[in-house]
Amino acid sequence: KPNALELSQADFFVDHEKMRGQRTTYETRRRRALVVDLERIMGRFVGAARARVLLRDQMGKQAFASRDKTTVASPPLITAVEQLLAGVVGTASAQVLLKGITKEDPIKLEEVVTILRQTQEAVRYGRELKKQQRELQRVTTQLRAANQQLRELDELKAEFISTVTHELRTPITSITSLARILLDNEDLAPAKRSTFLQIIVSESQRLSRLVTQVLDIEKLENHQRTGGSELVDFTALTNRAIDSLQHLAEEKNIRLERNYREASRWVQGPSDRLTQVIINLVGNALKFTPPQTGHIDIHLRSDQEAGLVSLRIRDNGPGIPADKRELIFDRFTQISDAQQGKPEGSGLGLYITRTIIENCGGSLNVETDYTEGAGFLVLLPLRAGAAILPEQNPSADSSTASSKPPNSKK
C-alpha cells in the first residue's frame, strides 16, 4: 500500500505541469516569525508586561530567559499571539498585523510524512495500551474469581473441620461419661454394667467408622482419578457385595432381588472402592426399607452403543423429597424421617460413594422418575471390547464367576 510520499511523487510524475502551475494547492504552509518581533508588536497593543507573561508561559522560563534576536517562534506561540491580539483589535486586524512580521514557508512533504508516521506510531501505541488494558482486566477478573474460590474453599474447610470435631466429640463424650460411671461405681448392677459396656463398644465402633470415612475423603479428594489401573468383573463384584449384606436383609425379612440382563463383566476401577459403593447404596436401602414388607431390586445393564454399565438400586422405603435429591450427596447430610427420626450414621456415605464413582469416570444420581421409594442410578464406563454375558437368572450364582477378563493370561 503506497504511503503519502509515494502518492505525491506519483502525482508529480503523472501531472507535472499541473504541479508547476498550481503548486500552492499542493503545499502545506507554515508561518515563521522571530520572538523579538512578536514581543515588539504585542508591546504596542497590550503592553510589555503582558507580552512577557505570554511569552514566558508559552516558551517556558528557561527558553524565555535565553531568547535573543535570532530566536524563532514556534507555531503554537504565533497562534497564541494572534489570539491575544484578536481579543484587542479583532481577528481580521490581528491576522493583518501578523502578516507583516511573519513569513510563510512550505512544509516539505518529508516532514508531513514524518508527522504522519509519528501519528501512526501514537495510534498503534494507543491500541497496544488498550489491548494491554483489556488483558489486565481479564487477568484481574480471573484473579478475583480465583481469590473468591479460595475464600469459599477456606470457608468449606473451616466448616468441615467444625463438623468433624462436633461429630467426633459426641461419641467421645458418651464413651468418657460411661467409662467414668463404671469407674466410680464398682457395685453397679451387672445388667446396667453390661448395657454401658455395650454402648461404649458401639460408640467406639462409630468413632472408628467416622475416622475411617474422614481419611477416605482426604484420600479421594487428593487424587483426581482412581480408575484405569484395574480391570474389574463388575457382575461378580456386585454379587459378592450383595451376598455380604444378605444376612442383614434376612434379619429384617427384606427381599433382595437381582436382575441382570446383558450385563458386561468388565469396568475399570479399584475393586475395593467399587465394592464400598454397592455396600453403601444397598446398606442405605436396608436402613430405610420397612421390615417384613420391604424389597430391594438391583438392576444391572450394559449399553454397548453408549459404552456404559448401569446399576439401579431401588427400594420401597419412604423415598427422597425432590428438594433433597442433591442435598443428600453433601458431607454430613442426613434426611430425618418423621417416624424414625434422624438415621444412624455420619452423613458421609453418599458423599464418599459419589466421589468414588466420579473418580472412576462415572456418575451417581437419584432416579427422578422412580416414585415407589428411593432409586439410585450408577453409570460407569464400559471397558472397550468387554465380553457380554447372556441374560442371567437372578437366582444364578454369579458370584463364583471368574474375575479374569476374556483371553487373560493371568
Side-chain angles (χ1 to χ4, degrees), residues 28-327:
T28 301
R29 308 185 71 82
R30 63 183 171 192
R31 294 179 294 182
R32 295 179 70 253
L34 298 176
V35 172
V36 64
D37 293 334
L38 294 176
E39 186 175 4
R40 186 183 306 113
I41 196 169
M42 282 191 296
R44 294 177 182 175
F45 290 92
V46 299
R50 192 172 175 185
R52 285 194 294 272
V53 170
L54 184 140
L55 292 175
R56 189 182 298 109
D57 291 343
Q58 292 292 322
M59 299 175 64
K61 292 182 179 180
Q62 186 174 358
F64 174 75
S66 61
R67 72 190 188 285
D68 55 25
K69 295 182 179 180
T70 61
T71 303
V72 178
S74 64
L77 177 57
I78 297 175
T79 301
V81 172
E82 183 178 6
Q83 291 174 348
L84 177 64
L85 293 176
V88 178
V89 299
T91 303
S93 299
Q95 291 177 351
V96 172
L97 289 172
L98 286 180
K99 264 192 174 181
I101 63 171
T102 59
K103 297 179 180 179
E104 289 191 352
D105 295 333
I107 299 177
K108 295 181 180 179
L109 189 59
E110 288 81 358
E111 295 175 334
V112 175
V113 172
T114 300
I115 293 173
L116 290 174
R117 285 176 179 170
Q118 291 174 348
T119 304
Q120 289 175 342
E121 289 295 327
V123 172
R124 188 180 299 110
Y125 182 67
R127 289 174 179 171
E128 284 295 324
L129 284 179
K130 288 183 179 179
K131 183 179 178 181
Q132 292 177 5
Q133 184 178 12
R134 289 194 297 268
E135 182 67 18
L136 182 60
Q137 290 176 345
R138 186 183 66 82
V139 173
T140 302
T141 301
Q142 291 179 343
L143 288 175
R144 286 175 179 171
N147 187 41
Q148 180 64 28
Q149 187 177 14
L150 287 175
R151 288 181 180 177
E152 293 175 357
L153 289 174
D154 190 54
E155 292 175 359
L156 288 174
K157 180 181 178 182
E159 181 182 355
F160 178 71
I161 292 174
S162 175
T163 307
V164 169
T165 304
H166 173 76
E167 292 290 335
L168 290 173
R169 186 183 293 117
T170 302
I172 290 175
T173 302
S174 178
I175 293 170
T176 304
S177 300
L178 293 174
R180 175 61 62 183
I181 293 174
L182 291 173
L183 183 63
D184 295 342
N185 297 274
E186 296 182 359
D187 56 347
L188 198 65
K192 187 76 82 172
R193 179 181 295 273
S194 177
T195 301
F196 286 176
L197 288 174
Q198 183 61 42
I199 294 174
I200 289 176
V201 171
S202 177
E203 290 296 283
S204 299
Q205 292 172 344
R206 176 186 170 194
L207 185 61
S208 177
R209 287 194 301 269
L210 180 59
V211 171
T212 301
Q213 288 178 329
V214 171
L215 293 176
D216 281 345
I217 290 176
E218 192 274 336
K219 291 177 182 178
L220 291 170
E221 291 184 346
N222 285 341
H223 298 82
Q224 292 183 352
R225 298 182 68 85
T226 58
S229 60
E230 185 177 358
L231 192 62
V232 178
D233 182 344
F234 196 59
T235 305
L237 182 144
T238 303
N239 273 321
R240 288 194 296 270
I242 297 173
D243 287 342
S244 68
L245 298 171
Q246 189 69 48
H247 68 286
L248 295 177
E250 292 174 354
E251 287 179 0
K252 298 178 67 176
N253 198 19
I254 295 174
R255 177 170 52 86
L256 280 176
E257 183 175 345
R258 314 179 200 194
N259 188 339
Y260 305 160
R261 188 189 310 165
E262 296 182 355
S264 170
R265 303 177 68 98
W266 309 109
V267 297
Q268 285 185 326
S271 59
D272 56 339
R273 293 294 187 188
L274 291 174
T275 301
Q276 183 181 358
V277 165
I278 298 169
I279 290 176
N280 283 349
L281 294 175
V282 178
N284 276 349
L286 288 170
K287 186 188 304 182
F288 290 99
T289 302
Q292 310 304 324
T293 60
H295 65 84
I296 300 171
D297 297 328
I298 297 96
H299 298 259
L300 189 59
R301 301 284 187 275
S302 65
D303 186 342
Q304 290 290 317
E305 293 184 2
L308 293 172
V309 174
S310 65
L311 174 66
R312 286 179 169 85
I313 299 175
R314 296 170 171 176
D315 62 56
N316 64 335
I320 303 170
D323 59 339
K324 300 292 193 303
R325 288 172 180 165
E326 278 300 313
L327 185 63

